[in-house]
Amino acid sequence: MISMAAWNIRGLNQPLKQNEVRKVIQENNIQVCAVLESHVSVDRLSNICRKVFRDWDWSSNGQVCDKGTRIILGWNPNVVDIMVIAQSSQVVHSQVFLKKGGQSFFCSFVYAKNNYCERREVWEQLNQHKLFTRAMPWVILGDFNEALNMDDWAVGKSKIDLGVKEFRECVRNIEVLDINSSGLQFTWTQKPKEGTGILKKIDRVMGNLSFINLFPNAHALFQPYRVSDHSPCILKFEVVKKKKARSFKFANFLVFKKDFKKVVALEWQKEVAGNEMFKIVKKLKNLKPHLRKLLYAQGNLHNRVDRLRKDLDDIQSRVDENPQDSGLRDKERLCLKEFEEAAYDLELFLKQKSKVEWLRAGDSNTSFFHKALKRKMHKNMVNRIIDNEGNVHNGENVAAVLVDHYSKFLGTESDTNNMNLSNLGFNKLSLVDSVSMIRHVTDEEVKLAMFDIGENKSPGPDGFTSAFFIHAWDVVGKDVCRAVKDFFVHARLLKEINHTVIHLIPKVPTPERVNDLFLFARGEVQSCKVLMKGLEEFKSYSGLTASVSKSTIFFCQVTLPIKRAILDIMPFEEGRLPIRYLGVPLISSNLIASYCKCLIDKVDRRIDDWMNKSLSFAGRLQLIVSVISSMYSYWASVFVLPSATSPLSRIITPRDIYMAGFSRTDRVADMVVDRNWIWPAAWYDLFPVLINIQVPFMSYSRRDVSIWLDYQGGEGEFSTHNVWETIRHRSMQIPCNLKTSTGDGSILHQMMCGLGADFL
């Protein structure tokens, strides 16, 4: 394991800070360390570096700094060799050579200045260094003195300023992305004498795809600040990675090979003893070696495309020299056909692995699929985890911790109580539906279910995707149908088919724990008692216990006395709203434009992503139509979005609106005539997002109201009464002949309804 670090220590002259730097080096077994903002004068460098780095080699940019040394770089010569390529007052470019594995990569240590105008110098230097590194592995770490995303502010920011835009432009030009990280989310703190101060992420570790490809398990760790106001940035990666045996995964592009059905048919016609389901499992298992052989026969797809491209160039050059040679023309035709087929195979292969469903193959987006695959693999990698006891596990130990967690969570036997289901209300099917549920399954239903599965969906443990069954259905279809129908008759499922794969997908940039559950209750003591009682009953039925130390309670418009009483019942840590869950903010009031800043920022970053440079024109159009609009639609399905966050208001300017003869006060009804939009047809070319907006059904005789669906599915105007009638608890109807002094029983009726009784 190689560890590199960059830490803005805010002055290295003090013995305390020298000791802390040394302590971080020892605790993390660091082999390369850059100390930023050292404030050490050039004449004292040798003495200070000897105290901090001991017998290490070191270098600095003190000769190019006006006031003190800004960057000091030290490294262990027994583990690595470092060659300084170039340096300025804000960055040191180097090349790192690893002695154990023999790998080398470029590494830049950054300490950007505070003023955004002065930072333009380092952005330009990084752009120039990109021309030098080209496609070689390159990693950048340090203090950039600027945030990159809206999530990098703890409190939030009203708008994206010029400094952030210029930083984003630099990242887009040099084509780097954040290395997977854990630890502190905000790497810089302003420590005022009073108040909470400012928390912000301005220290980063970023690398290009070549670096991620060379060290796929690279991981960044941001530790607590200690004696500084910046977090130490620590980069860890394995030098020699043990190759694991790869499980079988069917490559979908093989279905277009002429030998595919022949290989399947030869194995499928062999007799296998056993029930119908066992026959399928056995034949699929026996087929794997033959499909592997067919895949290996295609060779390395990348190399094949490169070789055919070179052959095609050579043949076309010879055709230019001998235009009348018909034999060369035939060779060119055959070579071009092979090249197009190989390029399509590669594109299909990368599309399947990258899981980019919104972009179709065949539009020459191979480079984009390849980059998306590398980013996806790195992003979904979990390199650090904290177990239930608070112990930290890194690297290869993470897998064992997760297996142990889910083995205890899902596979541990414990004493539980039997659940009484008699008090639960269930919707009952009609007699016709009940008979339909138990009727015999037909071959056509099995086929429709199989063909409805996306071909690029993740396969099960056996590695076969739906594409295999769909394209080989005329060979395997009858046996598959018999196996499925056999299950519905005998209700037996082999463990080879009943197995599944659990994929853990990180929901946050720095995942460290495995937990996620939200429970909602009214802000009153009685409701919280019911909630805690429910948790106790859940524990008795399932054997699962809520972790008090990892649980948080949020309050919304609850008075202080009631809040204290609730905290006595629910001993959880109090959190503050808003928080984000499933990508949207949980808030206690109407959604306002400021809460949508992260959505707007996400759309902007998705459009400006440097990976989009690899997309064809059709791919960029599909990005806007399918992906960008879906982000907005997802939020719109949860909230009533403020008009300021609408993508139309961001892309269609007031000038466009007025030139088309409309006003900014026009309503949706003003834009629809005879079930058609009346905006200019040219807008569909200028703003492709409009293509996906369906024409609403307009009812001009009714006023605009919010519609509420009740518990029976009926529509009604939204009101608190209708909402309460839908969500209130209903008990059995009881006869009631109550009399009150008023003669109508209205007060008592309302009281009894509040207790859950329905009256006849």
Side-chain angles (χ1 to χ4, degrees), residues 393-427:
H393 303 268
N394 298 292
E396 295 182 350
N397 298 328
V398 170
V401 175
L402 292 174
V403 171
D404 179 69
H405 171 81
Y406 281 102
S407 297
K408 295 177 180 178
F409 183 73
L410 301 174
T412 303
E413 294 184 2
S414 59
D415 295 331
T416 58
N417 299 330
N418 293 326
M419 192 172 191
N420 183 12
L421 302 178
S422 60
N423 294 328
L424 298 179
F426 295 98
N427 293 327

Short mmCIF file of all heavy atoms in Angstrom, two decimals, residues 393-427:
data_model
loop_
_atom_site.label_atom_id
_atom_site.label_comp_id
_atom_site.label_asym_id
_atom_site.label_seq_id
_atom_site.Cartn_x
_atom_site.Cartn_y
_atom_site.Cartn_z
N HIS A 393 -12.16 -0.24 8.84
CA HIS A 393 -11.57 -1.29 8.01
C HIS A 393 -11.32 -0.70 6.62
O HIS A 393 -12.16 0.00 6.07
CB HIS A 393 -12.50 -2.50 7.90
CG HIS A 393 -12.86 -3.10 9.23
ND1 HIS A 393 -12.14 -4.12 9.81
CD2 HIS A 393 -13.86 -2.80 10.10
CE1 HIS A 393 -12.68 -4.44 10.97
NE2 HIS A 393 -13.73 -3.65 11.17
N ASN A 394 -10.16 -1.01 6.06
CA ASN A 394 -9.75 -0.45 4.78
C ASN A 394 -9.42 -1.57 3.79
O ASN A 394 -9.14 -2.71 4.17
CB ASN A 394 -8.51 0.45 4.94
CG ASN A 394 -8.78 1.63 5.85
OD1 ASN A 394 -9.54 2.52 5.50
ND2 ASN A 394 -8.17 1.64 7.02
N GLY A 395 -9.44 -1.19 2.50
CA GLY A 395 -8.96 -2.07 1.44
C GLY A 395 -9.72 -3.38 1.34
O GLY A 395 -10.96 -3.42 1.34
N GLU A 396 -8.98 -4.47 1.27
CA GLU A 396 -9.58 -5.78 1.06
C GLU A 396 -10.39 -6.25 2.27
O GLU A 396 -11.21 -7.16 2.16
CB GLU A 396 -8.50 -6.81 0.73
CG GLU A 396 -7.78 -6.54 -0.59
CD GLU A 396 -6.76 -7.60 -0.90
OE1 GLU A 396 -6.49 -8.43 0.00
OE2 GLU A 396 -6.24 -7.62 -2.03
N ASN A 397 -10.18 -5.66 3.44
CA ASN A 397 -10.93 -6.04 4.63
C ASN A 397 -12.38 -5.57 4.59
O ASN A 397 -13.21 -6.06 5.35
CB ASN A 397 -10.25 -5.48 5.89
CG ASN A 397 -8.85 -6.03 6.09
OD1 ASN A 397 -8.57 -7.17 5.72
ND2 ASN A 397 -7.96 -5.22 6.64
N VAL A 398 -12.69 -4.62 3.70
CA VAL A 398 -14.05 -4.08 3.62
C VAL A 398 -15.04 -5.17 3.23
O VAL A 398 -16.13 -5.27 3.80
CB VAL A 398 -14.10 -2.91 2.62
CG1 VAL A 398 -15.54 -2.50 2.34
CG2 VAL A 398 -13.31 -1.72 3.15
N ALA A 399 -14.66 -6.01 2.27
CA ALA A 399 -15.58 -7.05 1.79
C ALA A 399 -15.95 -8.00 2.93
O ALA A 399 -17.14 -8.36 3.09
CB ALA A 399 -14.94 -7.83 0.64
N ALA A 400 -14.97 -8.40 3.74
CA ALA A 400 -15.25 -9.31 4.85
C ALA A 400 -16.19 -8.68 5.87
O ALA A 400 -17.07 -9.35 6.43
CB ALA A 400 -13.94 -9.73 5.51
N VAL A 401 -16.02 -7.38 6.13
CA VAL A 401 -16.89 -6.68 7.09
C VAL A 401 -18.33 -6.63 6.58
O VAL A 401 -19.28 -6.87 7.34
CB VAL A 401 -16.37 -5.26 7.35
CG1 VAL A 401 -17.32 -4.48 8.25
CG2 VAL A 401 -14.99 -5.31 8.00
N LEU A 402 -18.50 -6.35 5.29
CA LEU A 402 -19.85 -6.28 4.73
C LEU A 402 -20.51 -7.66 4.73
O LEU A 402 -21.71 -7.77 5.02
CB LEU A 402 -19.78 -5.72 3.30
CG LEU A 402 -19.37 -4.25 3.19
CD1 LEU A 402 -19.21 -3.85 1.73
CD2 LEU A 402 -20.39 -3.34 3.87
N VAL A 403 -19.76 -8.70 4.39
CA VAL A 403 -20.32 -10.06 4.41
C VAL A 403 -20.73 -10.43 5.83
O VAL A 403 -21.80 -11.00 6.06
CB VAL A 403 -19.29 -11.06 3.85
CG1 VAL A 403 -19.77 -12.49 4.08
CG2 VAL A 403 -19.07 -10.83 2.37
N ASP A 404 -19.88 -10.08 6.79
CA ASP A 404 -20.21 -10.39 8.19
C ASP A 404 -21.45 -9.61 8.64
O ASP A 404 -22.31 -10.16 9.35
CB ASP A 404 -19.01 -10.02 9.07
CG ASP A 404 -19.28 -10.29 10.54
OD1 ASP A 404 -19.37 -11.48 10.91
OD2 ASP A 404 -19.38 -9.32 11.32
N HIS A 405 -21.55 -8.35 8.22
CA HIS A 405 -22.70 -7.52 8.61
C HIS A 405 -24.01 -8.13 8.09
O HIS A 405 -24.97 -8.30 8.84
CB HIS A 405 -22.53 -6.10 8.07
CG HIS A 405 -23.75 -5.24 8.23
ND1 HIS A 405 -24.08 -4.60 9.41
CD2 HIS A 405 -24.75 -4.93 7.35
CE1 HIS A 405 -25.21 -3.93 9.26
NE2 HIS A 405 -25.63 -4.10 8.01
N TYR A 406 -24.04 -8.48 6.80
CA TYR A 406 -25.28 -8.99 6.23
C TYR A 406 -25.54 -10.44 6.62
O TYR A 406 -26.69 -10.88 6.62
CB TYR A 406 -25.25 -8.84 4.70
CG TYR A 406 -25.57 -7.43 4.27
CD1 TYR A 406 -24.56 -6.56 3.88
CD2 TYR A 406 -26.87 -6.96 4.28
CE1 TYR A 406 -24.85 -5.26 3.50
CE2 TYR A 406 -27.18 -5.67 3.91
CZ TYR A 406 -26.16 -4.82 3.52
OH TYR A 406 -26.45 -3.53 3.15
N SER A 407 -24.49 -11.18 6.97
CA SER A 407 -24.71 -12.53 7.48
C SER A 407 -25.44 -12.48 8.82
O SER A 407 -26.36 -13.27 9.07
CB SER A 407 -23.36 -13.25 7.65
OG SER A 407 -22.72 -13.41 6.41
N LYS A 408 -25.04 -11.52 9.67
CA LYS A 408 -25.73 -11.36 10.95
C LYS A 408 -27.10 -10.73 10.76
O LYS A 408 -28.06 -11.05 11.46
CB LYS A 408 -24.89 -10.49 11.88
CG LYS A 408 -23.57 -11.13 12.29
CD LYS A 408 -22.75 -10.19 13.17
CE LYS A 408 -21.43 -10.82 13.58
NZ LYS A 408 -20.60 -9.90 14.40
N PHE A 409 -27.19 -9.83 9.77
CA PHE A 409 -28.43 -9.09 9.56
C PHE A 409 -29.51 -9.97 8.93
O PHE A 409 -30.69 -9.88 9.29
CB PHE A 409 -28.14 -7.89 8.66
CG PHE A 409 -29.33 -7.00 8.42
CD1 PHE A 409 -29.81 -6.18 9.42
CD2 PHE A 409 -29.97 -6.98 7.19
CE1 PHE A 409 -30.90 -5.36 9.21
CE2 PHE A 409 -31.05 -6.16 6.96
CZ PHE A 409 -31.52 -5.35 7.98
N LEU A 410 -29.11 -10.83 8.01
CA LEU A 410 -30.08 -11.63 7.25
C LEU A 410 -30.06 -13.12 7.59
O LEU A 410 -31.05 -13.81 7.34
CB LEU A 410 -29.82 -11.47 5.74
CG LEU A 410 -29.90 -10.05 5.18
CD1 LEU A 410 -29.48 -10.05 3.72
CD2 LEU A 410 -31.31 -9.51 5.32
N GLY A 411 -28.96 -13.61 8.13
CA GLY A 411 -28.84 -15.06 8.28
C GLY A 411 -28.68 -15.55 9.69
O GLY A 411 -28.34 -16.72 9.90
N THR A 412 -28.92 -14.73 10.71
CA THR A 412 -28.76 -15.16 12.09
C THR A 412 -30.11 -15.57 12.67
O THR A 412 -31.10 -14.85 12.54
CB THR A 412 -28.16 -14.02 12.95
OG1 THR A 412 -26.91 -13.62 12.37
CG2 THR A 412 -27.94 -14.49 14.37
N GLU A 413 -30.15 -16.73 13.28
CA GLU A 413 -31.36 -17.20 13.91
C GLU A 413 -31.50 -16.59 15.30
O GLU A 413 -30.54 -16.49 16.05
CB GLU A 413 -31.35 -18.73 14.02
CG GLU A 413 -31.40 -19.43 12.67
CD GLU A 413 -31.50 -20.94 12.82
OE1 GLU A 413 -31.57 -21.39 13.99
OE2 GLU A 413 -31.51 -21.64 11.81
N SER A 414 -32.70 -16.20 15.66
CA SER A 414 -32.95 -15.65 17.00
C SER A 414 -34.40 -15.93 17.36
O SER A 414 -35.24 -16.21 16.49
CB SER A 414 -32.67 -14.14 17.02
OG SER A 414 -33.49 -13.46 16.09
N ASP A 415 -34.69 -15.86 18.65
CA ASP A 415 -36.04 -16.11 19.13
C ASP A 415 -36.92 -14.90 18.82
O ASP A 415 -36.60 -13.76 19.18
CB ASP A 415 -36.02 -16.36 20.64
CG ASP A 415 -35.26 -17.63 20.99
OD1 ASP A 415 -35.26 -18.55 20.14
OD2 ASP A 415 -34.68 -17.70 22.09
N THR A 416 -38.01 -15.14 18.15
CA THR A 416 -38.94 -14.07 17.80
C THR A 416 -40.36 -14.50 18.15
O THR A 416 -40.65 -15.70 18.31
CB THR A 416 -38.88 -13.73 16.30
OG1 THR A 416 -39.15 -14.91 15.53
CG2 THR A 416 -37.50 -13.21 15.92
N ASN A 417 -41.24 -13.53 18.25
CA ASN A 417 -42.64 -13.81 18.53
C ASN A 417 -43.42 -13.97 17.24
O ASN A 417 -43.05 -13.41 16.20
CB ASN A 417 -43.26 -12.67 19.35
CG ASN A 417 -42.56 -12.49 20.68
OD1 ASN A 417 -42.05 -13.45 21.25
ND2 ASN A 417 -42.53 -11.26 21.18
N ASN A 418 -44.49 -14.74 17.29
CA ASN A 418 -45.36 -14.88 16.14
C ASN A 418 -46.23 -13.63 16.01
O ASN A 418 -46.76 -13.12 16.99
CB ASN A 418 -46.24 -16.12 16.28
CG ASN A 418 -45.44 -17.40 16.21
OD1 ASN A 418 -44.45 -17.48 15.49
ND2 ASN A 418 -45.86 -18.40 16.97
N MET A 419 -46.37 -13.17 14.80
CA MET A 419 -47.09 -11.93 14.55
C MET A 419 -48.58 -12.22 14.39
O MET A 419 -48.98 -13.12 13.64
CB MET A 419 -46.55 -11.25 13.29
CG MET A 419 -47.02 -9.83 13.12
SD MET A 419 -46.17 -9.03 11.73
CE MET A 419 -46.66 -7.34 11.98
N ASN A 420 -49.40 -11.48 15.09
CA ASN A 420 -50.85 -11.61 15.00
C ASN A 420 -51.35 -10.76 13.83
O ASN A 420 -51.31 -9.53 13.89
CB ASN A 420 -51.50 -11.17 16.31
CG ASN A 420 -53.01 -11.36 16.28
OD1 ASN A 420 -53.55 -12.02 15.39
ND2 ASN A 420 -53.69 -10.80 17.27
N LEU A 421 -51.81 -11.42 12.79
CA LEU A 421 -52.24 -10.71 11.59
C LEU A 421 -53.74 -10.50 11.54
O LEU A 421 -54.26 -9.94 10.57
CB LEU A 421 -51.80 -11.48 10.33
CG LEU A 421 -50.30 -11.76 10.20
CD1 LEU A 421 -50.02 -12.57 8.94
CD2 LEU A 421 -49.52 -10.46 10.17
N SER A 422 -54.45 -10.93 12.58
CA SER A 422 -55.92 -10.85 12.53
C SER A 422 -56.42 -9.41 12.57
O SER A 422 -57.49 -9.11 12.06
CB SER A 422 -56.52 -11.65 13.70
OG SER A 422 -56.06 -11.12 14.94
N ASN A 423 -55.62 -8.52 13.19
CA ASN A 423 -56.07 -7.13 13.30
C ASN A 423 -55.69 -6.29 12.10
O ASN A 423 -56.03 -5.10 12.04
CB ASN A 423 -55.47 -6.50 14.56
CG ASN A 423 -56.00 -7.14 15.83
OD1 ASN A 423 -57.15 -7.59 15.86
ND2 ASN A 423 -55.16 -7.22 16.86
N LEU A 424 -54.94 -6.85 11.17
CA LEU A 424 -54.54 -6.10 10.00
C LEU A 424 -55.58 -6.24 8.91
O LEU A 424 -56.10 -7.33 8.64
CB LEU A 424 -53.18 -6.59 9.49
CG LEU A 424 -52.00 -6.43 10.45
CD1 LEU A 424 -50.73 -6.97 9.81
CD2 LEU A 424 -51.81 -4.97 10.83
N GLY A 425 -55.88 -5.13 8.24
CA GLY A 425 -56.84 -5.17 7.16
C GLY A 425 -56.17 -5.42 5.82
O GLY A 425 -55.14 -4.83 5.52
N PHE A 426 -56.73 -6.33 5.05
CA PHE A 426 -56.17 -6.65 3.74
C PHE A 426 -57.24 -6.46 2.67
O PHE A 426 -58.42 -6.77 2.89
CB PHE A 426 -55.67 -8.11 3.69
CG PHE A 426 -54.52 -8.40 4.61
CD1 PHE A 426 -54.73 -8.97 5.85
CD2 PHE A 426 -53.23 -8.07 4.24
CE1 PHE A 426 -53.67 -9.24 6.70
CE2 PHE A 426 -52.16 -8.33 5.07
CZ PHE A 426 -52.38 -8.91 6.30
N ASN A 427 -56.81 -5.95 1.53
CA ASN A 427 -57.71 -5.90 0.39
C ASN A 427 -57.84 -7.29 -0.21
O ASN A 427 -56.84 -7.98 -0.42
CB ASN A 427 -57.18 -4.92 -0.67
CG ASN A 427 -57.20 -3.49 -0.17
OD1 ASN A 427 -58.08 -3.11 0.60
ND2 ASN A 427 -56.23 -2.69 -0.58
#
